[in-house]
Amino acid sequence: MSGDEAQEAGGRADRRRLARKVRRRRRTRRVGELPLLVVVALCIALILKTFLVQAFFIPSGSMEQTIRIGDRVLVDKLTPWFGSKVERGEVVVFKDPGGWLGAESVRPAPDPVGVKQLKQGLTFIGLLPSADEQDLIKRVIGVGGDTVKCCDARGRVSVNGSPLDEPYVNPGNVPSEIRFEVHVPAGRIFVMGDHRANSADSRYHLDEAFQGTIDEKDVVGQAVVIAWPFGHWQRLEQPATFRMVPDQARAGRRAPRRRRRAASFA
Protein backbone atom coordinates (compact mmCIF):
# COMPACT_ATOMS: atom_id res chain seq x y z
CA MET A 1 0.00 0.00 0.00
CA SER A 2 1.41 3.37 -0.97
CA GLY A 3 1.76 6.19 1.50
CA ASP A 4 -1.12 8.10 -0.06
CA GLU A 5 -3.40 5.04 0.18
CA ALA A 6 -2.39 4.47 3.79
CA GLN A 7 -3.06 8.10 4.61
CA GLU A 8 -6.47 7.93 2.90
CA ALA A 9 -7.38 4.71 4.74
CA GLY A 10 -6.33 6.29 8.02
CA GLY A 11 -8.42 9.33 7.24
CA ARG A 12 -11.49 7.18 6.59
CA ALA A 13 -10.91 5.35 9.87
CA ASP A 14 -10.63 8.64 11.73
CA ARG A 15 -13.84 9.88 10.15
CA ARG A 16 -15.65 6.67 11.12
CA ARG A 17 -14.40 6.96 14.70
CA LEU A 18 -15.48 10.60 14.80
CA ALA A 19 -18.90 9.71 13.40
CA ARG A 20 -19.37 6.95 16.03
CA LYS A 21 -18.31 9.38 18.73
CA VAL A 22 -20.83 11.99 17.54
CA ARG A 23 -23.63 9.38 17.46
CA ARG A 24 -22.78 8.26 21.01
CA ARG A 25 -22.86 11.86 22.19
CA ARG A 26 -26.24 12.40 20.54
CA ARG A 27 -27.67 9.25 22.14
CA THR A 28 -26.32 10.28 25.53
CA ARG A 29 -27.75 13.78 25.14
CA ARG A 30 -31.16 12.41 24.17
CA VAL A 31 -31.19 10.06 27.14
CA GLY A 32 -30.20 12.91 29.41
CA GLU A 33 -32.96 15.13 28.01
CA LEU A 34 -35.68 12.51 28.52
CA PRO A 35 -36.24 13.18 32.26
CA LEU A 36 -36.47 16.91 31.52
CA LEU A 37 -39.04 16.31 28.79
CA VAL A 38 -41.07 14.11 31.14
CA VAL A 39 -41.02 16.81 33.83
CA VAL A 40 -42.09 19.48 31.31
CA ALA A 41 -44.93 17.24 30.05
CA LEU A 42 -46.12 16.62 33.62
CA CYS A 43 -46.05 20.33 34.39
CA ILE A 44 -48.09 21.11 31.27
CA ALA A 45 -50.62 18.39 32.17
CA LEU A 46 -50.96 19.76 35.71
CA ILE A 47 -51.45 23.31 34.40
CA LEU A 48 -54.13 22.09 31.99
CA LYS A 49 -55.89 20.19 34.78
CA THR A 50 -55.72 23.09 37.23
CA PHE A 51 -56.62 26.02 35.01
CA LEU A 52 -57.91 24.92 31.60
CA VAL A 53 -59.61 21.55 31.06
CA GLN A 54 -60.19 18.58 33.35
CA ALA A 55 -61.80 15.20 32.71
CA PHE A 56 -64.53 14.03 35.08
CA PHE A 57 -65.98 10.56 35.62
CA ILE A 58 -69.79 10.35 35.86
CA PRO A 59 -70.75 7.97 38.72
CA SER A 60 -74.54 8.29 38.62
CA GLY A 61 -77.46 8.30 36.21
CA SER A 62 -78.84 11.69 37.27
CA MET A 63 -78.06 13.24 33.86
CA GLU A 64 -79.28 10.37 31.65
CA GLN A 65 -79.86 10.12 28.77
CA THR A 66 -77.64 13.13 28.04
CA ILE A 67 -74.74 11.78 30.11
CA ARG A 68 -74.63 8.15 31.18
CA ILE A 69 -72.99 6.28 34.03
CA GLY A 70 -69.30 5.79 33.28
CA ASP A 71 -69.06 8.60 30.71
CA ARG A 72 -66.07 10.92 30.85
CA VAL A 73 -66.76 14.60 30.26
CA LEU A 74 -64.30 17.43 29.65
CA VAL A 75 -64.91 20.49 31.78
CA ASP A 76 -63.86 24.00 30.79
CA LYS A 77 -62.24 25.60 33.84
CA LEU A 78 -60.71 28.55 31.99
CA THR A 79 -63.59 30.89 31.16
CA PRO A 80 -64.58 31.53 34.83
CA TRP A 81 -61.11 33.03 35.30
CA PHE A 82 -62.10 35.77 32.85
CA GLY A 83 -65.29 36.64 34.70
CA SER A 84 -67.64 34.53 32.60
CA LYS A 85 -70.95 33.95 34.39
CA VAL A 86 -72.85 30.70 34.55
CA GLU A 87 -75.74 30.72 32.07
CA ARG A 88 -79.10 28.97 32.02
CA GLY A 89 -79.06 25.64 30.22
CA GLU A 90 -75.36 24.94 30.73
CA VAL A 91 -74.26 21.63 32.21
CA VAL A 92 -71.91 22.40 35.08
CA VAL A 93 -69.74 20.51 37.54
CA PHE A 94 -69.85 21.87 41.08
CA LYS A 95 -68.54 20.94 44.51
CA ASP A 96 -70.85 19.06 46.83
CA PRO A 97 -72.61 21.72 48.95
CA GLY A 98 -72.93 19.11 51.69
CA GLY A 99 -74.74 15.79 51.69
CA TRP A 100 -75.78 15.77 48.03
CA LEU A 101 -73.41 13.06 46.81
CA GLY A 102 -74.58 10.31 49.15
CA ALA A 103 -78.01 10.27 47.53
CA GLU A 104 -76.87 9.29 44.06
CA SER A 105 -73.23 8.18 43.82
CA VAL A 106 -72.37 4.74 42.52
CA ARG A 107 -68.90 3.49 43.43
CA PRO A 108 -66.94 1.80 40.62
CA ALA A 109 -65.53 -1.70 41.10
CA PRO A 110 -62.05 -1.72 42.71
CA ASP A 111 -59.03 -2.09 40.41
CA PRO A 112 -56.38 -4.79 40.90
CA VAL A 113 -53.03 -3.91 42.46
CA GLY A 114 -50.79 -2.19 39.93
CA VAL A 115 -53.64 -0.93 37.78
CA LYS A 116 -54.91 1.09 40.72
CA GLN A 117 -51.52 2.78 41.26
CA LEU A 118 -51.14 3.48 37.53
CA LYS A 119 -54.59 5.08 37.41
CA GLN A 120 -53.80 7.15 40.48
CA GLY A 121 -50.69 8.53 38.77
CA LEU A 122 -52.51 9.33 35.55
CA THR A 123 -55.36 10.89 37.52
CA PHE A 124 -52.96 13.10 39.46
CA ILE A 125 -51.57 14.65 36.28
CA GLY A 126 -55.03 14.96 34.73
CA LEU A 127 -54.75 12.31 32.01
CA LEU A 128 -57.52 10.27 33.65
CA PRO A 129 -60.60 11.50 35.53
CA SER A 130 -60.88 10.69 39.20
CA ALA A 131 -63.70 8.54 40.50
CA ASP A 132 -63.16 10.07 43.96
CA GLU A 133 -63.97 13.70 43.14
CA GLN A 134 -66.50 15.19 45.53
CA ASP A 135 -68.33 16.89 42.70
CA LEU A 136 -71.73 16.71 41.01
CA ILE A 137 -72.94 17.47 37.50
CA LYS A 138 -76.33 19.06 36.73
CA ARG A 139 -78.02 21.42 34.29
CA VAL A 140 -78.47 25.08 35.27
CA ILE A 141 -82.17 25.97 35.16
CA GLY A 142 -82.12 29.39 36.83
CA VAL A 143 -79.51 32.00 37.73
CA GLY A 144 -79.48 34.82 40.24
CA GLY A 145 -82.68 36.90 40.08
CA ASP A 146 -84.70 34.24 38.24
CA THR A 147 -87.95 32.72 39.42
CA VAL A 148 -88.09 29.00 38.69
CA LYS A 149 -91.52 27.40 38.98
CA CYS A 150 -93.23 24.08 38.38
CA CYS A 151 -95.59 23.24 37.14
CA ASP A 152 -97.79 25.12 34.64
CA ALA A 153 -101.08 23.79 33.23
CA ARG A 154 -99.13 21.53 30.85
CA GLY A 155 -96.78 20.27 33.57
CA ARG A 156 -93.78 22.29 32.39
CA VAL A 157 -91.03 24.05 34.34
CA SER A 158 -90.95 27.80 33.73
CA VAL A 159 -88.29 30.45 34.30
CA ASN A 160 -89.46 34.03 34.74
CA GLY A 161 -92.83 32.98 33.38
CA SER A 162 -91.37 31.43 30.22
CA PRO A 163 -92.14 27.68 29.94
CA LEU A 164 -89.21 25.45 28.99
CA ASP A 165 -89.21 22.99 26.12
CA GLU A 166 -86.97 20.23 27.50
CA PRO A 167 -86.27 17.45 24.96
CA TYR A 168 -83.16 16.51 26.96
CA VAL A 169 -85.26 15.20 29.89
CA ASN A 170 -84.92 11.44 30.23
CA PRO A 171 -87.66 9.61 28.26
CA GLY A 172 -90.55 8.62 30.50
CA ASN A 173 -89.86 11.38 33.03
CA VAL A 174 -92.15 14.33 33.65
CA PRO A 175 -90.42 17.71 34.05
CA SER A 176 -90.89 17.43 37.83
CA GLU A 177 -92.92 15.41 40.29
CA ILE A 178 -92.30 18.12 42.87
CA ARG A 179 -94.23 21.38 42.69
CA PHE A 180 -92.15 24.40 43.69
CA GLU A 181 -91.59 28.10 43.18
CA VAL A 182 -88.14 29.44 43.98
CA HIS A 183 -86.59 32.88 43.65
CA VAL A 184 -82.87 32.34 43.00
CA PRO A 185 -80.71 34.67 45.12
CA ALA A 186 -78.00 36.74 43.46
CA GLY A 187 -74.77 34.81 42.97
CA ARG A 188 -76.50 31.42 43.11
CA ILE A 189 -77.96 28.92 40.62
CA PHE A 190 -80.85 26.45 40.62
CA VAL A 191 -79.88 23.09 39.09
CA MET A 192 -81.71 19.97 37.97
CA GLY A 193 -80.62 16.64 36.51
CA ASP A 194 -81.93 15.55 33.13
CA HIS A 195 -83.07 12.26 34.70
CA ARG A 196 -85.69 14.05 36.76
CA ALA A 197 -86.93 10.88 38.50
CA ASN A 198 -83.40 9.95 39.61
CA SER A 199 -81.70 13.21 40.49
CA ALA A 200 -81.21 14.57 44.00
CA ASP A 201 -80.93 18.12 42.69
CA SER A 202 -82.05 21.54 43.94
CA ARG A 203 -85.66 20.32 44.26
CA TYR A 204 -84.54 17.72 46.81
CA HIS A 205 -83.07 20.46 49.05
CA LEU A 206 -85.85 23.06 48.98
CA ASP A 207 -86.18 23.01 52.77
CA GLU A 208 -82.49 23.81 53.29
CA ALA A 209 -80.80 27.21 53.32
CA PHE A 210 -81.11 29.11 50.02
CA GLN A 211 -83.84 26.66 48.90
CA GLY A 212 -81.46 24.23 47.27
CA THR A 213 -79.60 26.79 45.16
CA ILE A 214 -75.84 26.53 44.64
CA ASP A 215 -73.23 29.22 45.21
CA GLU A 216 -71.63 30.17 41.87
CA LYS A 217 -68.25 30.04 43.65
CA ASP A 218 -68.69 26.27 44.02
CA VAL A 219 -68.92 25.77 40.25
CA VAL A 220 -65.78 24.01 38.99
CA GLY A 221 -66.53 24.63 35.33
CA GLN A 222 -68.82 24.02 32.38
CA ALA A 223 -69.01 20.53 30.89
CA VAL A 224 -68.43 21.07 27.18
CA VAL A 225 -68.13 17.61 25.63
CA ILE A 226 -68.61 13.91 26.37
CA ALA A 227 -65.16 12.60 25.45
CA TRP A 228 -65.43 8.89 26.29
CA PRO A 229 -66.59 6.40 25.21
CA PHE A 230 -66.32 7.48 21.58
CA GLY A 231 -69.79 6.17 20.84
CA HIS A 232 -71.26 8.72 23.28
CA TRP A 233 -69.22 11.66 21.95
CA GLN A 234 -71.19 14.89 21.72
CA ARG A 235 -70.91 18.57 22.51
CA LEU A 236 -72.94 19.83 25.46
CA GLU A 237 -74.51 23.05 24.23
CA GLN A 238 -77.08 25.43 25.67
CA PRO A 239 -80.58 24.32 24.53
CA ALA A 240 -82.45 26.90 22.46
CA THR A 241 -85.33 27.10 24.96
CA PHE A 242 -83.13 28.95 27.47
CA ARG A 243 -82.37 31.69 24.96
CA MET A 244 -86.07 32.55 25.02
CA VAL A 245 -86.14 33.16 28.79
CA PRO A 246 -86.45 36.87 29.67
CA ASP A 247 -84.26 38.34 32.37
CA GLN A 248 -86.16 39.00 35.57
CA ALA A 249 -85.49 42.73 35.26
CA ARG A 250 -87.26 42.73 31.88
CA ALA A 251 -90.08 40.54 33.14
CA GLY A 252 -91.44 43.58 34.99
CA ARG A 253 -92.58 41.80 38.11
CA ARG A 254 -91.24 41.05 41.51
CA ALA A 255 -90.42 37.39 42.06
CA PRO A 256 -92.29 35.70 44.92
CA ARG A 257 -90.24 34.01 47.58
CA ARG A 258 -92.83 31.43 48.52
CA ARG A 259 -92.75 27.89 47.23
CA ARG A 260 -95.04 24.91 47.51
CA ARG A 261 -94.09 21.30 47.83
CA ALA A 262 -96.89 18.85 47.15
CA ALA A 263 -95.08 15.60 46.44
CA SER A 264 -92.12 13.76 47.83
CA PHE A 265 -89.02 13.23 45.67
CA ALA A 266 -88.72 9.82 44.06
Side-chain angles (χ1 to χ4, degrees):
M1 181 182 293
S2 65
D4 291 340
E5 291 175 340
Q7 184 175 3
E8 184 178 352
R12 287 198 298 269
D14 289 340
R15 287 194 294 272
R16 285 195 294 271
R17 284 195 295 271
L18 180 60
R20 288 195 295 270
K21 189 174 182 180
V22 170
R23 286 195 294 269
R24 285 196 298 270
R25 285 179 177 175
R26 287 176 178 173
R27 286 196 296 269
T28 302
R29 186 165 59 248
R30 284 196 292 266
V31 172
E33 290 173 349
L34 183 59
L36 177 61
L37 293 175
V38 171
V39 171
V40 171
L42 291 176
C43 290
I44 292 174
L46 286 171
I47 291 172
L48 288 173
K49 173 184 176 182
T50 304
F51 300 106
L52 303 179
V53 176
Q54 183 176 353
F56 281 82
F57 169 83
I58 304 304
S60 79
S62 68
M63 282 296 293
E64 290 178 337
Q65 291 290 333
T66 307
I67 306 174
R68 306 174 192 177
I69 297 174
D71 282 355
R72 272 69 169 172
V73 298
L74 296 183
V75 173
D76 171 19
K77 304 172 68 175
L78 176 63
T79 50
W81 287 83
F82 293 95
S84 175
K85 294 293 185 181
V86 178
E87 296 186 10
R88 308 179 191 98
E90 291 181 344
V91 176
V92 297
V93 170
F94 57 94
K95 298 183 182 300
D96 185 0
W100 284 39
L101 270 174
E104 57 183 45
S105 290
V106 177
R107 301 297 301 172
D111 293 311
V113 177
V115 175
K116 177 181 178 181
Q117 284 70 27
L118 176 62
K119 282 188 173 182
Q120 287 175 339
L122 294 175
T123 297
F124 175 73
I125 62 176
L127 297 180
L128 276 183
S130 174
D132 297 321
E133 296 282 358
Q134 297 298 299
D135 302 307
L136 298 101
I137 184 166
K138 306 289 181 190
R139 190 179 298 277
V140 179
I141 304 300
V143 297
D146 287 345
T147 297
V148 184
K149 182 178 179 179
C150 190
C151 304
D152 67 4
R154 295 174 54 185
R156 297 172 298 182
V157 174
S158 66
V159 181
N160 300 337
S162 177
L164 300 179
D165 177 23
E166 301 185 283
Y168 47 79
V169 171
N170 193 60
N173 285 186
V174 296
S176 180
E177 294 180 352
I178 300 174
R179 301 185 66 85
F180 61 87
E181 185 171 355
V182 174
H183 175 65
V184 184
R188 303 187 73 85
I189 56 176
F190 188 90
V191 298
M192 297 171 70
D194 289 355
H195 194 347
R196 298 290 164 81
N198 187 35
S199 177
D201 48 41
S202 290
R203 299 168 299 156
Y204 192 66
H205 302 273
L206 292 171
D207 293 330
E208 300 177 9
F210 304 106
Q211 295 182 276
T213 58
I214 305 299
D215 193 325
E216 287 184 353
K217 295 179 181 178
D218 290 333
V219 174
V220 176
Q222 178 190 357
V224 293
V225 65
I226 301 173
W228 183 264
F230 292 133
H232 295 177
W233 191 96
Q234 72 173 83
R235 288 184 57 83
L236 299 171
E237 300 178 337
Q238 181 192 47
T241 188
F242 289 95
R243 294 194 287 272
M244 306 300 294
V245 174
D247 289 337
Q248 186 67 355
R250 292 199 299 266
R253 56 181 177 274
R254 185 174 182 179
R257 293 180 177 272
R258 294 173 299 136
R259 63 106 178 95
R260 301 186 306 277
R261 187 173 184 176
S264 59
F265 184 83

